[in-house]
Amino acid sequence: MYALALLGCAAPLLPGEVVLGVEHPATFTYGAPGDHLGASVAGQGGRWLASAPGAGQTWRDGVAVDAASVWVGWWGEREVFVSGGGRVSVDGEARWTVLDATAWAASADGIVAATPTGVRLVDRERTVPTEGLSAVALGAERILGLVCVGGSCVGQAWTLDGVDVGLYAHGGEGGAVGEWAGVAWAGAPRWDEPEAPGEVCAEDGTCRAGLPGDHLGAAIGGGYAAGSFNKWVVPPRARFVPLEDGVVYALETGAELQPLALSGDGTLYIGSPYTAAHGEPSGVVVAVPP
């Protein structure tokens, strides 16, 4: 159950925070009631894809197309849609099925999935055995994963051929992984503590923490990290923290503890699948120019 918060700014934000669409330009694309648009987003080169699993659709650059997806990505210039049951299509052609995948990543270098048995190199049709893998991302010529065993989570990397190249950062259960400007990051949202700030840490030792209740580190992408919509701060909002120097973006409306999705290679794309429109959780994709 998600509690919707529709409050505007009844109190000032922190210094260095700006409200998207008010203090910083942004384009908002809303789904129809029940669409959950933005469950997954993928942006590159000024183009974007987004899942709307509630409607059994995928959106391309603001237009709904009749193709179901729960996850979207780019394999170079090719569109990757993953639908229910782990069915993977590339530019509309069914290619593979990964029944037990829990997370996905794609780039020009390939398509990978996290599964209970390890890193699935989807386009190469092989698996690298790994216990406790919960998140994956593709960086510059490497695969990044988050491995959680015995209550401890670490970022682990492999070459594109699946050769282990070691650990790069500490993370936490439910955390995301990602790379920006050649630096790998891992998230530790600490979902077991309601007011946890959460944090993201990089392979160079840099860490960025959220505010109490942010659960920062649940999403990493486009040079930013996010957690969930935060009811503990005033005003309630979702916060998007830059991995490099920059302002913190804020969304004023959302749903408590909703998932958020991030992507981008210049323009930042935010997926907020439980944001209300038309009186119901419809979802929104927010495009944020630099």
Side-chain angles (χ1 to χ4, degrees):
M1 178 67 68
Y2 293 92
L4 298 178
L6 302 176
L7 301 176
C9 284
L13 302 183
L14 295 177
E17 289 188 15
V18 298
V19 178
L20 292 174
V22 178
E23 299 169 301
H24 187 91
T27 301
F28 291 70
T29 302
Y30 291 92
D35 279 2
H36 299 305
L37 177 63
S40 171
V41 294
Q44 69 173 20
R47 302 179 60 201
W48 61 269
L49 305 169
S51 296
Q57 294 177 324
T58 302
W59 288 52
R60 178 190 295 119
D61 299 328
V63 178
V65 298
D66 189 19
S69 68
V70 295
W71 186 88
V72 292
W74 295 96
W75 185 15
E77 295 298 318
R78 290 168 286 186
E79 299 175 351
V80 180
F81 299 170
V82 177
S83 58
R87 294 181 295 275
V88 183
S89 65
V90 178
D91 283 346
E93 177 189 355
R95 296 286 297 272
W96 304 282
T97 298
V98 184
L99 294 173
D100 52 358
T102 56
W104 298 84
S107 76
D109 292 321
I111 305 169
V112 299
T115 75
T117 55
V119 183
R120 178 68 173 172
L121 310 177
V122 178
D123 56 301
R124 304 185 187 201
E125 299 188 348
R126 59 180 290 252
T127 298
V128 179
T130 310
E131 181 185 359
L133 182 67
S134 62
V136 287
L138 280 161
E141 299 184 353
R142 59 179 171 175
I143 302 166
L144 306 175
L146 185 68
V147 176
C148 298
V149 177
S152 177
C153 298
V154 293
Q156 185 170 340
W158 299 264
T159 68
L160 297 175
D161 293 321
V163 177
D164 187 347
V165 290
L167 308 180
Y168 60 87
H170 288 284
E173 293 279 357
V177 294
E179 184 176 288
W180 185 252
V183 178
W185 294 77
R190 292 166 54 193
W191 292 113
D192 57 331
E193 301 177 32
E195 296 185 55
E199 68 175 1
V200 290
C201 290
E203 59 187 320
D204 63 5
T206 301
C207 290
R208 301 195 184 280
L211 296 179
D214 272 354
H215 298 289
L216 193 70
I220 297 173
Y224 281 76
S228 63
F229 190 83
N230 188 349
K231 73 171 185 177
W232 298 98
V233 294
V234 178
R237 59 196 183 273
R239 302 173 67 253
F240 304 90
V241 177
L243 301 179
E244 298 181 314
D245 291 337
V247 299
V248 175
Y249 295 137
L251 279 178
E252 296 180 291
T253 61
E256 180 188 349
L257 296 181
Q258 71 165 319
L260 296 165
L262 296 173
S263 183
D265 58 2
T267 297
L268 173 67
Y269 296 94
I270 298 169
S272 182
Y274 288 87
T275 290
H278 320 292
E280 294 185 39
S282 303
V284 65
V285 173
V286 185
V288 186

